[in-house]
Amino acid sequence: QVQLVESGGGLVQTGGSLRLSCAASGDIFRIGTMRWYRQGPGKQRELVASITRTSRIYYADSVKGRFTISRDTAKNTLFLQMNSLKPEDTAVYYCHAEDPVTVPPQNYWGQGTQVTVSL
């Protein structure tokens, strides 16, 4: 089992920055790719960014050039640096980890952290 705990959300003005963290514990050696998802009001959950164990990175087009995902393996922590925030970035942000060893792959989710961007 893997436990994920997000932190770092909050209220920020347009153009501001926030840094989200996701602390992983438990069977962390099983974790493969880690991801940040978000779900805005009245919207479906969407993938924001992902990073593999070998640091291959993906960003959604909507956040490219503004968000940076990183992973501190020694501290078992995933980060999302969010700059130039826009009101449309308002959402609950979720940390996700995948255990690729199990069949099918086991998915783990954090509880979510609220990010609100005001005008």
Side-chain angles (χ1 to χ4, degrees):
Q1 291 294 313
V2 172
Q3 295 78 42
L4 303 172
V5 178
E6 301 102 332
S7 61
L11 174 64
V12 65
Q13 290 186 331
T14 296
S17 298
L18 284 173
R19 190 190 195 206
L20 304 184
S21 299
C22 172
S25 60
D27 297 334
I28 55 175
F29 63 92
R30 303 180 67 90
I31 295 176
T33 299
M34 297 190 76
R35 301 176 176 91
W36 286 102
Y37 283 82
R38 68 185 181 186
Q39 187 165 15
K43 298 181 181 180
Q44 291 188 331
R45 191 172 296 190
E46 62 174 352
L47 176 63
V48 175
S50 65
I51 183 167
T52 68
R53 291 179 68 99
T54 57
S55 297
R56 187 169 62 187
I57 289 173
Y58 162 86
Y59 294 106
D61 288 342
S62 58
V63 306
K64 278 181 183 176
R66 301 188 298 122
F67 290 11
T68 302
I69 189 171
S70 60
R71 184 172 179 172
D72 186 331
T73 304
K75 295 183 178 179
N76 305 317
T77 304
L78 178 72
F79 301 99
L80 185 68
Q81 177 67 43
M82 305 186 295
N83 299 327
S84 302
L85 283 161
K86 305 174 181 180
E88 50 263 44
D89 294 318
T90 294
V92 178
Y93 284 71
Y94 297 92
C95 176
H96 170 271
E98 180 185 272
D99 174 358
V101 177
T102 59
V103 180
Q106 180 70 47
N107 294 298
Y108 298 96
W109 293 91
Q111 81 287 355
T113 186
Q114 176 70 47
V115 171
T116 302
V117 184
S118 64
L119 292 170

